């Protein structure tokens, strides 16, 4: 019997006790009498809080409840089941789903009630509340309260409004801390900061300041500035301001410690006024370094002002102890004159922190380069390699190539800790280290840390299988995931070939497990459900393993693993018993992000069939559009809430369906986004709202809160961005008048501004614009912004001519390293002539960065390719690391140039294959070059060769494909199934697949998932022969690879069973080849219509209307019993 059922039965029995009519309110304790009166007047929250307070110091008895019922009777208050139950349920829903009403209710609480509410919400350590024999699961109740959108905002606002008057200041600070850690960005808006108390006890102020320092990165720039102002106001009050004048500062050592990260908001002139004694005292603090390590937003000007004051206060700035106390200030150290090598190395050691700065990386790299030169005075690079910290990342390939294997071996403890390596650097250093070690063993690999990724695939394949098994058991898990697919495949193939694969499979963790082929999984035994908890699975693996493990494990054991939910078929879902399904649905809901849209659709239909009254509202959006009609009134808020917490594209891949759902959302919002509470409710849904709705229906109050949420959106359309731009202009006014904080908060949306507006911002805040531009992405999305950045950086740089003596470079400004690092994607605006005139050293140092610029045109790429020839010599002399470092620049190589390259290494090919713009001719040249230079034919290729070749495989001819060994193809087929090759190539791959998995007509769902796009090579007869229930198991990317003339041979039944995601992938050309019946079936699939057998169908037109479900358990019959039962049901979904 459920706990709630027991509670209800107890209350019902009390309600039926004998009642003495002569009893009056005098028999009730005052507080209980007050609570009963509040029940009568409908103030259920007040009554609950009074009862909770009463029971904290009184023992409940059945006699007491009898007296309560007697009082109801004496007052001639007659409750009926329908009226009281409906009013209480409606009231409780409003509290959870209407946080504005909850705010109003809280504001009307008396002081004692408020104290009780805060005590039980935040300070109670009880996980149960006892009232006589009644037991309430308070943990679940509290969890349900805090999960409701807007409730946390209400609690935050009411805490600011009432807490400091009703509770101890320290308790209120603790409560604010708990609420703010949920969503500080949304709650801590600048206008709210004014509500913070401006007089606080010292301990309370310190504690609250610590909370705000912890939340610094979660708040907007404007809020950070406002919080600094609040802290400054209180700190100034604590000082005797009469002692301060224009030449002295209120900033003491202790105030700097309290400000912490907020010290970056101190004005430059204020820093220069800080007493030297106070600066000396602050730097002497043991935790000064801890504070200065967190000033990520500091600017060079402020940092140098602090450094100047520290120097003036008597500290020896060349002393190692002082340097270690400077935190991030070292990133802007500028006293380089007559510095000795030891000081330079000490600074470099500390500068490993500088990658945490918000911007200014070009300046940091420049300083590191200068310090590197000083550190190397009178010493060789071999001698000091281990003492250079992460400055080694700034070494060019030629400098790294000059290192001795002995030096790399001796410095490995430093090198293996450094982050930010380029692929080419890692290749060089790994090669040097391994040439010293001679034998590649488990111990050798475990010493390499981040350099592991530079070990060649062939080297891994040559290792002892037992050593490889030790490696994959998790000794260096953070680096295993960084290995290329080819490297991972090399490790797996060697272990598989050793015959020790079964014992190793259980030890393969995380994403590495996804590289195991389906055929290899089939061969192994000894799987158990618990070993699946630490692995990531492809859907094909999950389908296979779920079926295998279901023979000896209960479904609950499998579903609780997480990843195995990917392998649950629709047939399994439909076969589940009602109780089992309802009890295990939590596993699906928890792992919704792992499910396919088809699986979610199956879950929705199952839920509708067995319990349509309690179906989670978001599942209604998955059913055909007509089911949205049931979303109205009380279901609106939970519908929007649940959708806002879910990925919209998972639920509705179809644009038409998505628009219908969004239309319902707009209706539920009464046609507008009124305020921050609506923004809280919408969650991720705000990213999908149509432009017209954003334009005319979003208030400015809501926009201020929504800005942060918009910045998190992944795929806003140009039209949506345009409307957001107009809202921002309406909210903040002309960019000409923006502050630095406004510019930071607008962030990537500045790309929407006009060229003139961007020029103004770039002139006022060049560093901020540079910082934002780094996060923008390709030029297509922000051409005006990147152009502005380029002009800003160019204008700020000295007009330095190229040092080359070539006549054609006279008067041409060559790109400098400093500029290239600052510009990132904006490097696209260098002219061909400027790129040609680049200094050889500058190119060698920055080639990897230039190779990542996505917007370079063919002329620019050719200029950079020619520069590479000039710097590195003739093509046959290029090493693998040279080729790898080119990135997109390699696309400029013609087929004759490709033939000259040394392409023997599959790791080189693996990097080249990541470029998606190769012509077929270029790809063929790369393939031929690899085969010839590695001395192989296609029949000798290993699975890791196939994986490394990647998209280059599309250049194979039919004879070459058919010569690939079946075992090797089998191990690589999942990776090959990700390629978008021509139909003739896919047909040959399909034939090879049949040699692995037998004839196409015998394939099951896991095979279809495994082979991906290869299914695009099926012929008409093969495609028509597939059972309709297998259609959802085609990968979505495979659907678009099926030629239209083949696709049109699918029957209407097959098309109707494609599932929502596959149906959404049907191309325009494929659709044009379909007849009316097929198109109708396609629409059914897009809508998520039920396609199973008639006896399991439930028509939308014949089902009962969806209503808010009643709590499970026996009905509560009357009186106080009804009220208490309803209150204690608060943790259940409404």
């Amino acid at each position: 019997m459920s706990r709630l059922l027991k509670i209800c039965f107890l209350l019902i029995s009390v309600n039926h006790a004998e009642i003495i009519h002569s009893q009056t309110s005098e028999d009730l304790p005052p507080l209980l009498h007050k609570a009963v009166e509040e029940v009568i007047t409908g103030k259920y929250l007040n009554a609950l809080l009074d009862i909770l307070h009463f029971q904290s110091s009184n023992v409940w008895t059945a006699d007491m409840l009898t007296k309560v019922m007697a009082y109801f009777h004496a007052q001639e208050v007659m409750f009926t089941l329908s009226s009281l139950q409906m009013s209480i349920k409606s009231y409780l829903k409003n509290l959870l789903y209407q946080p504005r009403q909850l705010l109003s209710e809280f504001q009307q609480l008396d002081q004692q009630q408020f104290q009780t509410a805060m005590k039980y919400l935040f300070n109670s350590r009880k996980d149960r509340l006892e009232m006589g024999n009644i037991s309430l699961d308070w943990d679940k109740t509290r969890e349900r309260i805090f999960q409701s959108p807007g409730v946390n905002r209400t609690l935050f606002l009411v805490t600011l409004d009432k807490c400091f008057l009703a509770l101890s200041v320290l308790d209120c600070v603790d409560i604010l801390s708990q609420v703010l850690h949920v969503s500080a960005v949304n709650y801590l808006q600048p206008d709210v900061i004014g509500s913070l108390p401006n007089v606080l006890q010292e301990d309370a102020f310190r504690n609250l300041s610590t909370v705000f320092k912890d939340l610094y990165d979660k708040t907007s720039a404007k809020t950070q500035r406002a919080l600094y102002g609040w802290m400054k106001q209180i700190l100034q009050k604590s000082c005797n301001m009469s002692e301060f004048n224009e030449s002295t500062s209120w900033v003491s050592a202790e105030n700097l410690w309290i400000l912490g990260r907020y010290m970056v908001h101190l004005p430059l002139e204020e820093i220069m006024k800080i007493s030297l004694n106070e600066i000396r005292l602050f730097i002497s603090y043991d935790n000064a370094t801890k504070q200065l390590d967190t000033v990520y937003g500091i600017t060079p000007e402020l940092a140098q002002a602090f450094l100047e004051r520290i120097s003036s206060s008597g500290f020896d700035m060349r002393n190692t102890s002082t340097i270690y106390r400077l935190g991030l200030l070292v990133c802007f150290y500028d006293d380089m004159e007559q510095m000795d090598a030891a000081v330079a190395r000490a600074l470099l050691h500390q500068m490993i922190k500088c990658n945490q700065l918000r911007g200014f990386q070009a300046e940091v790299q420049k300083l590191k380069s200068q310090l590197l030169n000083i550190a190397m005075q009178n010493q060789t690079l071999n001698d000091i390699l281990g003492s250079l910290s992460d400055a080694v990342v700034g070494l060019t390939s030629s400098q790294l190539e000059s290192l001795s294997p002995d030096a790399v071996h001796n410095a490995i403890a430093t090198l293996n800790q450094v982050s930010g390596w380029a692929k080419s650097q890692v290749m060089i250093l790994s090669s040097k280290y391994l040439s010293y070690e001679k034998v590649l063993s488990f111990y050798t690999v475990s010493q390499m840390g981040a350099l592991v990724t530079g070990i060649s695939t062939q080297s891994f394949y040559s290792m002892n299988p037992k050593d490889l098994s030790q490696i994959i058991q998790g000794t260096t898990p953070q680096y295993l995931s960084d290995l290329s697919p080819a490297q991972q495949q090399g490790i797996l193939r060697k272990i598989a070939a050793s015959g020790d694969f079964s014992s190793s499979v259980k030890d393969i963790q995380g994403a590495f497990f996804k590289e195991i082929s389906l055929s290899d999984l089939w061969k192994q035994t000894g799987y158990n459900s618990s070993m699946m908890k630490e692995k990531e699975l492809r859907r094909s693996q999950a389908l296979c393993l779920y079926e295998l493990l279901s023979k000896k494990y209960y479904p609950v054991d499998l579903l609780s693993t997480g990843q195995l939910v990917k392998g649950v078929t629709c047939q399994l879902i439909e076969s589940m018993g009602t109780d089992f399904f309802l009890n295990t649905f939590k596993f699906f809901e928890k792992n919704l992000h792992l499910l396919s849209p088809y699986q979610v659709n199956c879950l929705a239909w199952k839920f509708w069939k067995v319990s349509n009254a309690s179906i989670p509202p978001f599942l209604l959006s998955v059913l055909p559009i007509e089911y949205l009609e049931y979303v109205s009134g009380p279901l609106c808020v939970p519908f929007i809430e649940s959708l806002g917490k879910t990925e919209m594209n998972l639920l509705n891949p179809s644009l038409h369906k998505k628009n219908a759902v969004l239309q319902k959302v707009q209706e539920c919002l009464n046609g507008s986004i009124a305020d921050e509470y609506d923004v809280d409710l919408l969650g991720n849904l705000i990213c999908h709202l149509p432009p017209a709705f954003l334009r005319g229906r979003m208030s400015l109050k809501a926009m201020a809160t929504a800005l942060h949420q918009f910045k998190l959106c992944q795929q806003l359309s140009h039209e949506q961005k345009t409307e957001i731009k107009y809202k921002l202009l309406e909210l903040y006014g002309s960019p000409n008048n923006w502050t630095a904080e406004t510019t930071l908060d607008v962030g990537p949306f500045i790309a929407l501004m006009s060229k003139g507006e961007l020029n103004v911002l770039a002139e006022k805040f060049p560093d901020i614009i540079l910082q934002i531009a780094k996060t923008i992405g390709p030029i297509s999305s922000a051409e005006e912004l990147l152009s502005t950045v380029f002009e800003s950086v160019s204008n700020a740089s000295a007009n330095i001519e190229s040092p080359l003596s070539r006549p054609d470079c006279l008067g041409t400004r060559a790109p400098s390293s400093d500029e290239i690092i600052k510009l990132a994607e904006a490097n696209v605006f260098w002219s061909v002539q400027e790129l040609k005139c680049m200094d050889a050293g500058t190119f060698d140092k920055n080639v990897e960065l230039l190779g990542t610029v996505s917007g370079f045109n063919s002329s620019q790429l050719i200029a950079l390719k020619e520069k590479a020839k000039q710097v590195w010599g003739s093509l046959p002399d290029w090493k693998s690391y040279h080729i790898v470092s080119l990135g997109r620049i390699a696309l400029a190589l013609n087929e004759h140039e490709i033939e000259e390259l040394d392409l023997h290494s599959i790791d080189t090919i693996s990097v080249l294959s990541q470029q998606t713009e190769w012509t077929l001719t270029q790809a063929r040249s790369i393939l031929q070059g690899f085969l010839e230079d590695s001395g192989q034919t296609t029949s000798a290729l290993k699975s890791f060769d196939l994986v490394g070749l990647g998209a280059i495989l599309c250049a194979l001819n039919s004879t070459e494909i058919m010569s690939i060994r079946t075992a090797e193809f089998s191990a690589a087929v999942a990776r090959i199934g990700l390629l978008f090759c021509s139909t003739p190539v896919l047909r040959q791959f399909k034939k090879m697949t049949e040699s692995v998995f037998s004839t196409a007509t015998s394939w099951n769902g896991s095979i279809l998932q495994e082979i991906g796009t290869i299914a695009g090579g099926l012929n008409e007869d093969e495609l028509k022969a597939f059972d309709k229930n297998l259609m959802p198991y085609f990968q979505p990317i495979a659907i678009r690879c099926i030629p239209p003339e083949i696709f049109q041979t699918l029957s209407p039944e097959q098309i109707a069973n494609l599932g929502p995601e596959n149906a959404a992938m049907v191309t325009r050309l494929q659709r044009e080849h379909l007849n009316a019946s097929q198109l109708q079936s396609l629409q059914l699939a897009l809508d998520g219509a039920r396609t199973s057998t008639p006896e399991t169908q439930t028509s939308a037109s014949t089902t009962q209307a969806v209503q808010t479900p009643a709590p499970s358990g026996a009905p509560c019959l009357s009186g106080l019993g009804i009220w208490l039962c309803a209150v204690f049901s608060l943790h259940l979904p409404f």
Side-chain angles (χ1 to χ4, degrees), residues 280-336:
R280 190 182 308 113
L281 189 58
F282 174 66
I283 296 298
S284 299
Y285 282 164
D286 287 339
N287 66 357
T289 304
K290 181 181 176 183
Q291 299 290 342
L292 292 171
D293 276 347
T294 65
V295 291
Y296 312 119
I298 200 162
T299 62
E301 294 76 24
L302 294 184
Q304 282 157 9
F306 272 117
L307 289 169
E308 183 181 330
R309 296 307 280 168
I310 294 166
S311 177
S312 300
S313 70
F315 281 96
D316 178 2
M317 303 301 280
R318 302 287 175 92
N319 183 284
T320 303
S321 175
T322 304
I323 289 169
Y324 284 1
R325 288 176 174 272
L326 295 178
L328 291 176
L329 299 183
V330 297
C331 308
F332 304 99
Y333 195 97
D334 59 350
D335 182 16
M336 312 291 284

Side-chain angles (χ1 to χ4, degrees), residues 1021-1038:
D1021 294 333
E1022 291 164 337
L1023 196 59
K1024 284 192 296 185
F1026 277 106
D1027 186 277
K1028 65 179 182 180
N1029 291 319
L1030 284 176
M1031 299 311 294
Y1033 297 101
F1034 281 83
Q1035 279 198 34
I1037 55 172

